Amino acid sequence: MSVEFIGFIGNHNASEIIPRQGPVIDRAFIRASAAIHERGGFDRVLLAFHSATPDSLFVGQYVAQVTSRLKLMLAHRPGFTAPTLAARQLATLDHLTDGRVAVHIITGGNDRELAQDGDWLTKDERYARTQEYLDIVRQEWTRREPFDYKGEFYRVSGAFSDVKPQGPEGIPVYFGGSSPAAIAVAGKHADVYALWGETQAQVAETIAAVRAAAAPHGRAPRFSLSLRPILGATEEEAWAKADRILAQARTLRAAGAEQRLVNATDPDRPQNEGSRRLLAAAAQGARLDKRLWTELARLTGANGNSTSLVGTPDQVAEAMLDYYRLGISTFLIRGFDPLADALEYGRDLIPRVRALVAGETAGSRAAE
């Protein structure tokens, strides 16, 4: 099982410890980040989606223009674009980038954020809509004749697309969501199921649940884990760096300078199941398993990807190998200092993980 690395390109330089400055779309920052990720050996980069942010499809087009090999993972929220149109948009970009497109389906777990875009469905209704949406998208990508579809949320007659995905594997569908309704949809449609940085026990539990949901459909999805690695020349240096990051994040939040997403407004009662799971892990302690650090998740109400592996590059790579052994084949990694950390990951972490995975694979073959 090969390993894939996904980075993150924001629209501007900002994080839990860096207040946003400059334009909302900082092209110089995007270009620099794209170059660092491409040269650093990342396979893909995530372009995020939120109800108040620039559109990921267009930012992804720009990233593709300034790179030659780096692949894209475009966060996409079903329900606001007709599924037939979304399928053609993604397939068109796939052709224009020589097959570098993947889509990350994020249904959305926060009612207040969804209301900003005029969506008043309940969470379970949104996942039911997502399933219909992906039913149609996949048929637009694969059907050679016009098709009809009639569901609760969508109805099409004679739907057809001249443009199909260009890449040999089609357009991979990454999927996020931890509720039972989400896992049911993932079982039917996810090529890669994405988890946040949970404990090893939580990850094993979720992988088993998704595999069980996928089995009736004859599918075997891969799995992705999102982490915020914190590296140091020594373990002590890495933990000291984590302490500084926590202090900086507290200061920024206290000053009101952090750009918060809606579901961080009530950190004690997050609506999405993924945040609840991270907070459940944080309730077990600040340091879990070998080196999983949960303090930022606790501070932010687990507002997104907020847990870290802390240690030397070798130690963090070994901890990532533990997740690989559980079934994780994709790692989405991003830092608290976006450009500097991406550079460090490409230089010090990614080669180590790839070497460990190669050794693991060679050992498995030798044992056969």
Side-chain angles (χ1 to χ4, degrees):
M1 185 172 64
S2 61
V3 65
E4 176 187 46
F5 287 94
I6 301 178
F8 177 82
I9 295 182
N11 301 305
H12 44 256
N13 192 27
S15 75
E16 294 87 345
I17 65 171
I18 298 176
R20 193 188 98 190
Q21 297 178 347
V24 65
I25 300 177
D26 187 336
R27 285 181 292 175
F29 171 80
I30 294 170
R31 287 195 304 273
S33 186
I36 288 171
H37 282 88
E38 184 160 62
R39 295 169 186 169
F42 285 82
D43 298 285
R44 295 189 185 273
V45 285
L46 170 64
L47 290 307
F49 178 97
H50 184 263
S51 59
T53 61
D55 187 273
S56 59
L57 181 68
F58 294 109
V59 179
Q61 287 178 308
Y62 183 72
V63 171
Q65 289 175 351
V66 299
T67 58
S68 60
R69 301 180 308 278
L70 189 65
K71 297 179 182 179
L72 310 173
M73 184 169 76
L74 305 174
H76 179 77
R77 181 163 290 163
F80 305 109
T81 305
T84 50
L85 175 58
R88 296 196 302 274
Q89 288 174 330
L90 291 164
T92 300
L93 184 58
D94 194 53
H95 276 265
L96 296 174
T97 61
D98 294 323
R100 289 193 278 157
V101 171
V103 62
H104 182 39
I105 299 296
I106 48 167
T107 299
N110 184 275
D111 294 341
R112 290 181 60 188
E113 186 207 341
L114 272 293
Q116 291 179 289
D117 274 330
D119 189 350
W120 300 96
L121 297 182
T122 67
K123 184 166 73 170
D124 283 354
E125 288 172 335
R126 290 195 294 269
Y127 278 110
R129 179 180 63 188
T130 292
Q131 178 157 297
E132 292 185 11
Y133 192 93
L134 289 173
D135 286 343
I136 295 171
V137 166
R138 286 199 178 278
Q139 290 188 74
E140 280 274 304
W141 285 343
T142 59
R143 293 288 288 266
R144 298 301 168 184
E145 301 291 338
F147 67 93
D148 300 336
Y149 185 94
K150 185 176 181 179
E152 181 181 354
F153 300 95
Y154 296 104
R155 184 172 62 182
V156 299
S157 178
F160 180 75
S161 174
D162 274 332
V163 58
K164 310 295 186 187
Q166 188 267 346
E169 61 179 354
I171 294 177
V173 174
Y174 293 70
F175 189 93
S178 298
S179 68
I183 288 176
V185 180
K188 184 176 183 182
H189 282 298
D191 296 313
V192 183
Y193 178 83
L195 304 90
W196 283 338
E198 301 180 348
T199 67
Q200 293 177 30
Q202 287 175 311
V203 168
E205 173 189 45
T206 300
I207 286 176
V210 174
R211 284 176 172 164
H217 303 285
R219 306 187 71 255
R222 294 177 288 122
F223 295 90
S224 171
L225 190 72
S226 298
L227 294 161
R228 311 287 293 275
I230 299 174
L231 307 179
T234 65
E235 184 172 7
E236 293 75 17
E237 182 180 308
W239 284 112
K241 184 177 178 181
D243 289 339
R244 290 195 301 273
I245 287 170
L246 181 61
Q248 289 172 305
R250 284 175 173 159
T251 299
L252 201 58
R253 289 174 69 85
E258 184 194 16
Q259 184 184 18
R260 303 183 190 181
L261 300 183
V262 176
N263 68 351
T265 57
D266 188 2
D268 295 324
R269 297 177 61 84
Q271 290 185 335
N272 73 81
E273 186 62 25
S275 293
R276 292 172 182 167
R277 290 177 64 87
L278 287 190
L279 289 177
Q284 299 175 38
R287 302 185 186 186
L288 302 174
D289 294 334
K290 285 182 178 178
R291 51 194 66 262
L292 183 69
W293 186 59
T294 66
E295 288 282 47
L296 255 293
R298 187 194 303 273
L299 176 68
T300 63
N303 180 23
N305 178 11
S306 50
T307 53
S308 301
L309 294 177
V310 182
T312 67
D314 284 328
Q315 289 172 328
V316 171
E318 289 167 3
M320 293 171 75
L321 184 65
D322 289 337
Y323 284 111
Y324 175 84
R325 289 167 174 160
L326 293 175
I328 298 296
S329 60
T330 293
F331 292 96
L332 195 162
I333 53 175
R334 66 185 182 100
F336 296 99
D337 187 345
L339 298 184
D341 287 345
L343 184 65
E344 185 178 40
Y345 298 157
R347 183 189 64 218
D348 298 332
L349 183 59
I350 290 176
R352 284 173 164 84
V353 178
R354 291 198 191 280
L356 288 175
V357 168
E360 189 89 353
T361 302
S364 297
R365 289 174 179 167
E368 292 178 355

